[in-house]
Amino acid sequence: MSSTQPPFRASDGERDRAIDELRDRAVEGRISHDTFVGRVDQALRARNRHELDQLVADLPRRPTVRQRLTEMVSSVSDFTTRMQAAWRRPRLPRLALPDDDRVRYVVGRGAACDLVLSDLTVSRVHAELRRADDGEWTLVDLGSLNGTRLNGWRLVGPARIRSGDEVSFGDCGFLLTSSLQSL
């Protein structure tokens, strides 16, 4: 005589809960329609709780209320941090791209430069703005000690620039504008 108890028969409520769980996962796209149909059929034919548990055991669990609340607070906190950083970001002075016929402008601390910046982080001859035949501008670092940056990236070679770009020579940052723009 065996000492193990026979497994309890599955109730209609347990079958319904298993089918509801399968339906929810199918709606979320976590299981295919064919898998859903096959497992519902198995749930209806299941003889005990263990067989029902096996039908949903491999499905990812839904996040708990605590997990959902934590994710929501985290996303709100991240949004708030990004907003605060945007408001704290310094307002950059405008630097209008010239609209005359010259094709070369030198930026630096030296008196002979076309754009003289007196900041000590700017080299005497720091960078150069060049206009191509098509009217497009290129920014070139001239071997400066503290570098030239375009939209936060340090230049390692010539780079095309346009209105709306942020450029910095050492610690001096500017927002490029077209000379035709009125800001």
Side-chain angles (χ1 to χ4, degrees), residues 4 15 20 24 30 40-41 45 104 153 156 158-159 173-174 182:
T4 60
R15 287 179 208 283
D20 287 346
D24 292 345
R30 298 191 183 262
V40 167
D41 184 52
R45 288 187 283 126
R104 181 177 187 258
W153 293 91
V156 293
F174 298 93
S182 58

Side-chain angles (χ1 to χ4, degrees), residues 123 125-127 140-148 154:
S123 298
V125 179
H126 195 99
V140 180
D141 184 78
L142 299 176
S144 65
L145 182 63
N146 292 310
T148 303
R154 188 170 181 152

Side-chain angles (χ1 to χ4, degrees), residues 87-151:
W87 279 105
R88 288 185 189 136
R89 185 178 304 139
R91 304 293 190 267
L92 295 176
R94 306 299 199 243
L95 176 62
L97 294 169
D99 64 350
D100 57 7
D101 294 334
R102 291 182 54 191
V103 295
R104 181 177 187 258
Y105 290 88
V106 177
V107 178
R109 204 174 69 236
C113 293
D114 300 301
L115 174 59
V116 178
L117 301 172
S118 60
D119 191 285
L120 293 176
T121 62
V122 177
S123 298
R124 282 188 185 91
V125 179
H126 195 99
E128 181 179 69
L129 291 167
R130 296 180 192 159
R131 186 188 339 241
D133 293 335
D134 61 1
E136 294 289 321
W137 286 94
T138 302
L139 179 62
V140 180
D141 184 78
L142 299 176
S144 65
L145 182 63
N146 292 310
T148 303
R149 296 184 178 276
L150 174 60
N151 297 321

Side-chain angles (χ1 to χ4, degrees), residues 36-115:
F36 169 71
V37 171
R39 288 191 183 187
V40 167
D41 184 52
Q42 290 174 353
L44 295 173
R45 288 187 283 126
R47 290 175 287 189
N48 56 51
R49 292 180 195 165
H50 177 71
E51 290 177 7
L52 288 174
D53 290 343
Q54 292 297 73
L55 293 175
V56 296
D58 65 333
L59 300 177
R61 295 286 172 219
R62 283 188 166 161
T64 63
V65 172
R66 176 185 285 168
Q67 289 170 330
R68 287 182 186 168
L69 185 59
T70 302
E71 289 173 6
M72 185 175 66
V73 168
S74 175
S75 65
V76 168
S77 176
D78 183 47
F79 174 75
T80 304
T81 301
R82 288 193 321 255
M83 286 296 290
Q84 288 173 344
W87 279 105
R88 288 185 189 136
R89 185 178 304 139
R91 304 293 190 267
L92 295 176
R94 306 299 199 243
L95 176 62
L97 294 169
D99 64 350
D100 57 7
D101 294 334
R102 291 182 54 191
V103 295
R104 181 177 187 258
Y105 290 88
V106 177
V107 178
R109 204 174 69 236
C113 293
D114 300 301
L115 174 59

Side-chain angles (χ1 to χ4, degrees), residues 13-29:
E14 290 169 331
R15 287 179 208 283
D16 290 343
R17 277 191 293 278
I19 292 171
D20 287 346
E21 184 76 20
L22 291 168
R23 184 196 63 231
D24 292 345
R25 294 300 178 252
V27 167
E28 293 170 357

Side-chain angles (χ1 to χ4, degrees), residues 94-97 162-164 175-183:
R94 306 299 199 243
L95 176 62
L97 294 169
R162 62 179 177 267
S163 182
L175 179 65
L176 293 178
T177 63
S178 166
S179 59
L180 303 175
Q181 283 182 311
S182 58
L183 294 174

